[in-house]
Amino acid sequence: MLRFILRRLLALIPTFVGITLVVFIMIRAIPGDPILTILAEDYSEELAQEYRQKMGLDRPVVVQYLIWLKGMVTGDWGNSLISQEPVIREVAKRLPVTLELLVLALAFAVVFSVPFGVISAVKPNSMPDHTLMTVSMLGISLPEFFLGALLLIVFALKLQWLPATSFVPLSGGLFENLRHMLLPAVTLGSARMAMFTRLIRNSMLEVVRQDYIDTARAKGLSEWLVINKHALKNALVPTVTVIGLQIGYLIGGAIIVESLFALPGIGSLGIDSILQRDYPVVQAFVIVSATGFLLANFAVDIVYTFLDPRIRVR
Amino acid sequence: MNNALLRIQGLRTYFYTEEGVVRAADGVDLEIFPGETLGLVGESGCGKTVTAKSILRLIPDPPGRVVEGSVFFEGRDLLKLDRRSLRREIRGNRISMIFQDPMTSLNPVYTVGEQVSEAFRAHRRIGRARALRESVEILGRVGIASPERMVREYPHRYSGGMRQRAMIAMALACRPALLLADEPSTALDVTIQAQILELMKHLREEFQTSILLITHNLGVVAEMADRVAVMYAGQVVEKCGVERFFDGPAHPYATGLLHSFPGMARRAGRLDPIPGSIPDMVRPPEGCRFHPRCRKALPRCTENPPPVTRLEEGHLVRCWLYE
């Protein structure tokens, strides 16, 4: 088991290097010059030259990459071109906000989709099934910016149950923090919840036809055990794969949701830095997101082996 | 004849599909006496498995439903029993079932020990540790080598034969009075088939279990059964003792089955298959369901369904030839 985990971890390294390379090249390919942004009206050829030298932007691209990669690994992520602040400090400050948002959104999606999917599958084509499937179709179709705005209008503006756009960190008390995170998490998690519900329903329908479900019933097990023990664990195997892949979309959605709810997370940092062509920050943003995606899928692989023992042998 | 352990009367199990109503079991009458093995034979799709599953009410609803009939077992009609009693007292306790394909009938994500333990824990108030000890014990008895180790393994570490042994262990855990064995050896290699049949014979003596043995392999019937029931298109067309059956059954379909079985044909010199195939169960033929394929069909076979005629004690046939 430990060897399996180690092997999976080692396999992440080449992927990680690949990501850094692609990111580095793509950032350089974006049209626009950061020097122009910094200097703006003070622009002059000499000043621009001086800034380029100071920031290392005059050196060969390969050297720029290697210096930067070394920095990435040792924790020196450079300074923001705009604020001159160390990038790593900014990321460290904002990462917990995004992580909390992602965890809450994913938890919301999973906690509701599992029972919904099971309820749908146990009695297919019944009223509850049709209702859940209709609602989930709606959930999948609503983009975050629309659903978020809708929730804001209803719960923050009209009913005034929840705060609109402000953020209270965990240090400000768990309850206050959750109150502020609820709408963003629901906004981000809804589409995922809808999708997982349909997924779990379909794989449950597949699983309940299997012979071992007949075996479980013939043994005299209660319907509860047959469904929630024998069927559900098998149905979760394909679902977990999709959950892993969906984390990528969640990170993308976080950009929108953080902007909409004015959350000081990685997503809003990313969008600001892209607009300002703040290369070090953009790079850090993409690398952190991609690494998060990698680690999430690594976690999925591990969860997998607990769900399906057949994967462990390979 | 009234001391049957299980008595199925007029069982009709239908499946409601888009093509129409499939009458998978359409008036099945069967009985199993204490300690005997009844071989239920017939072509694929004739309703053997549906009959067995109907006994334990394992028919998936929708699309299937038992629409009529009764299944008396130890004085109670299982079809009218409340779900809770059915689960607690009957399924896996008094009546167990093993399935055709051992590769798919064990849950891949739980250990064999866990799955065998469940059979104990569903019917007896015993703890996890005790159930696991008993699982080791019974796995040993069905011939699993080093059961202490194998009990912790997942099904994918078991061969097909071992899985079927584990299934049998699970089925016999609570010493049932009746075992429904649906093609228990069909999916296995020939040598393993023989081992599994030997094991079932041995356990039948030891546990005094009656067996409903579903098979299309007449060799298995000859080896195991005391009596034979032949099914065709959702109905039992002939019931008799096993010697009677192999001496020469009465129903033309049963005769045809016997002649299309290689082991028997060798004696006769050549294979003599039944022409045609099993009828569409949404619209079965009028009259006798076998008449389109029957060589001895009379004019009235096409018009009216034949009655059941008793040829001698314990020998019944559903055919116009004997009216």
Side-chain angles (χ1 to χ4, degrees):
Chain A
M1 190 64 203
L2 203 69
R3 269 184 55 196
F4 173 85
I5 294 176
L6 277 175
R7 215 163 48 209
R8 284 289 154 139
L9 263 177
L10 283 178
L12 293 182
I13 294 174
T15 321
F16 176 76
V17 172
I19 290 168
T20 59
L21 203 57
V22 169
V23 165
F24 189 82
I25 293 167
M26 276 174 61
I27 293 287
R28 290 309 182 274
I30 295 174
D33 188 344
I35 304 296
L36 275 177
T37 317
I38 297 169
L39 296 178
E41 275 110 62
D42 305 334
Y43 183 86
S44 72
E45 198 51 52
E46 300 86 65
L47 212 56
Q49 205 55 46
E50 192 193 319
Y51 265 79
R52 279 204 186 91
Q53 217 156 30
K54 204 167 80 186
M55 294 175 181
L57 290 174
D58 60 336
R59 308 177 70 173
V61 177
V62 180
V63 178
Q64 284 186 41
Y65 170 69
L66 287 175
I67 291 170
W68 171 77
L69 185 63
K70 179 172 159 254
M72 271 322 274
V73 177
T74 54
D76 173 17
W77 294 4
N79 294 343
S80 160
L81 296 182
I82 309 298
S83 69
Q84 306 301 329
E85 288 287 308
V87 175
I88 195 160
R89 196 184 297 163
E90 189 67 17
V91 168
K93 201 168 70 192
R94 286 166 171 262
L95 194 57
V97 180
T98 303
L99 283 181
E100 190 191 352
L101 177 65
L102 292 176
V103 167
L104 286 178
L106 200 60
F108 169 74
V110 171
V111 162
F112 284 95
S113 64
V114 170
F116 285 175
V118 170
I119 289 167
S120 264
V122 166
K123 280 217 174 291
N125 300 318
S126 62
M127 255 316 279
D129 179 33
H130 286 309
T131 313
L132 284 168
M133 285 307 103
T134 310
V135 171
S136 67
M137 197 66 237
L138 209 67
I140 291 174
S141 319
L142 286 181
E144 281 100 354
F145 63 83
F146 183 78
L147 180 66
L150 201 70
L151 291 177
L152 270 178
I153 291 169
V154 174
F155 291 101
L157 295 182
K158 295 274 181 227
L159 298 172
Q160 306 214 330
W161 288 351
L162 292 163
T165 56
S166 55
F167 175 73
V168 173
L170 261 174
S171 53
L174 181 65
F175 178 74
E176 269 309 303
N177 168 263
L178 286 181
R179 238 167 66 83
H180 286 79
M181 287 303 262
L182 186 62
L183 286 183
V186 169
T187 304
L188 185 57
S190 284
R192 254 32 75 178
M193 177 187 80
M195 187 180 198
F196 298 164
T197 301
R198 297 177 81 87
L199 201 71
I200 288 168
R201 173 186 186 266
N202 289 347
S203 64
M204 280 294 283
L205 284 176
E206 190 66 39
V207 167
V208 293
R209 286 209 312 261
Q210 301 296 313
D211 290 343
Y212 52 78
I213 297 301
D214 272 342
T215 305
R217 287 207 177 100
K219 253 191 277 193
L221 297 186
S222 65
E223 207 47 30
W224 172 267
L225 277 180
V226 171
I227 296 299
N228 295 302
K229 180 176 176 186
H230 283 270
L232 184 57
K233 196 171 169 190
N234 280 284
L236 284 181
V237 175
T239 312
V240 164
T241 319
V242 177
I243 291 180
L245 295 173
Q246 284 295 316
I247 289 174
Y249 291 91
L250 273 180
I251 294 171
I255 299 175
I256 294 162
V257 171
E258 283 176 13
S259 304
L260 189 65
F261 289 92
L263 293 179
I266 291 285
S268 47
L269 177 72
I271 205 84
D272 292 346
S273 60
I274 288 169
L275 292 176
Q276 294 170 313
R277 297 187 214 295
D278 194 348
Y279 288 167
V281 182
V282 175
Q283 281 169 338
F285 163 68
V286 180
I287 300 279
V288 166
S289 311
T291 308
F293 182 67
L294 269 190
L295 290 177
N297 279 286
F298 167 70
V300 163
D301 279 349
I302 304 300
V303 171
Y304 239 6
T305 65
F306 284 103
L307 286 176
D308 192 342
R310 284 167 299 185
I311 293 164
R312 259 172 257 175
V313 276
R314 269 183 258 136
Chain B
M1 286 295 276
N2 265 329
N3 53 354
L5 174 70
L6 180 94
R7 184 180 293 279
I8 303 174
Q9 283 172 321
L11 176 77
R12 292 179 201 278
T13 304
Y14 293 174
F15 287 85
Y16 297 85
T17 67
E18 279 173 22
E19 288 79 36
V21 180
V22 179
R23 300 170 183 188
D26 204 7
V28 173
D29 297 301
L30 273 184
E31 52 292 305
I32 298 167
F33 297 99
E36 82 164 353
T37 298
L38 173 70
L40 184 59
V41 300
E43 286 162 283
S44 307
C46 70
K48 303 179 302 250
T49 301
V50 166
T51 302
K53 283 192 172 177
S54 298
I55 296 171
L56 286 179
R57 302 207 333 231
L58 290 172
I59 300 295
D61 173 14
R65 202 181 320 145
V66 177
V67 291
E68 213 180 288
S70 58
V71 177
F72 275 94
F73 175 80
E74 294 181 335
R76 290 190 289 186
D77 185 354
L78 299 185
L79 299 182
K80 296 202 173 67
L81 201 61
D82 63 289
R83 293 213 148 265
R84 194 182 162 86
S85 308
L86 179 75
R87 222 174 54 223
R88 292 249 174 124
E89 297 162 30
I90 305 296
R91 284 182 182 172
N93 191 35
R94 298 299 295 155
I95 306 179
S96 289
M97 186 159 182
I98 54 181
F99 300 92
Q100 175 166 4
D101 190 355
M103 303 312 274
T104 57
S105 45
L106 286 167
N107 194 331
V109 302
Y110 291 104
T111 61
V112 171
E114 169 73 21
Q115 295 183 60
V116 178
S117 296
E118 275 181 338
F120 287 107
R121 285 163 59 84
H123 304 290
R124 285 162 52 190
R125 287 167 171 267
I126 57 172
R128 196 168 278 275
R130 169 100 190 275
L132 202 63
R133 276 204 305 281
E134 301 223 9
S135 302
V136 171
E137 211 261 340
I138 195 146
L139 283 174
R141 276 174 65 174
V142 299
I144 300 282
S146 45
E148 302 82 7
R149 185 167 56 82
M150 292 310 284
V151 80
R152 283 191 299 271
E153 294 286 1
Y154 289 89
H156 69 264
R157 308 275 293 192
Y158 280 58
S159 67
M162 283 163 75
R163 289 188 201 195
Q164 200 59 301
R165 284 173 194 269
M167 280 298 292
I168 292 171
M170 202 186 292
L172 296 181
C174 295
R175 296 179 165 264
L178 176 62
L179 176 67
L180 311 174
D182 186 0
E183 308 261 14
S185 61
T186 309
L188 303 169
D189 287 345
V190 189
T191 49
I192 309 296
Q193 272 189 26
Q195 288 177 15
I196 293 293
L197 293 178
E198 266 320 301
L199 173 69
M200 285 180 64
K201 269 177 156 176
H202 172 71
L203 295 170
R204 176 173 67 184
E205 303 305 320
E206 196 180 329
F207 290 78
Q208 293 294 308
T209 309
S210 303
I211 301 176
L212 174 65
L213 179 67
I214 296 174
T215 181
H216 58 252
N217 185 339
L218 296 181
V220 172
V221 173
E223 184 76 20
M224 300 281 296
D226 301 307
R227 284 195 313 127
V228 180
V230 181
M231 268 189 94
Y232 185 77
Q235 293 174 332
V236 175
V237 295
E238 182 160 3
K239 275 189 285 198
C240 61
V242 69
E243 290 87 6
R244 176 74 256 163
F245 180 78
F246 285 104
D247 278 353
H251 198 283
Y253 175 66
T255 311
L257 263 190
L258 205 55
H259 285 161
S260 43
F261 181 59
M264 297 294 136
R266 206 171 300 125
R267 224 183 287 165
R270 63 187 178 91
L271 272 178
D272 188 9
I274 305 170
S277 57
I278 200 151
D280 172 12
M281 292 307 289
V282 177
R283 276 168 295 276
E286 298 268 318
C288 173
R289 293 184 177 179
F290 186 58
H291 84 258
R293 302 170 71 186
C294 185
R295 292 193 182 131
K296 296 180 177 169
L298 306 168
R300 62 175 160 179
C301 295
T302 62
E303 285 151 20
N304 295 306
V308 175
T309 311
R310 189 163 154 190
L311 299 177
E312 56 188 272
E313 181 67 35
H315 188 178
L316 299 163
V317 65
R318 189 190 287 269
C319 180
W320 278 117
L321 290 174
Y322 302 93
E323 175 61 18

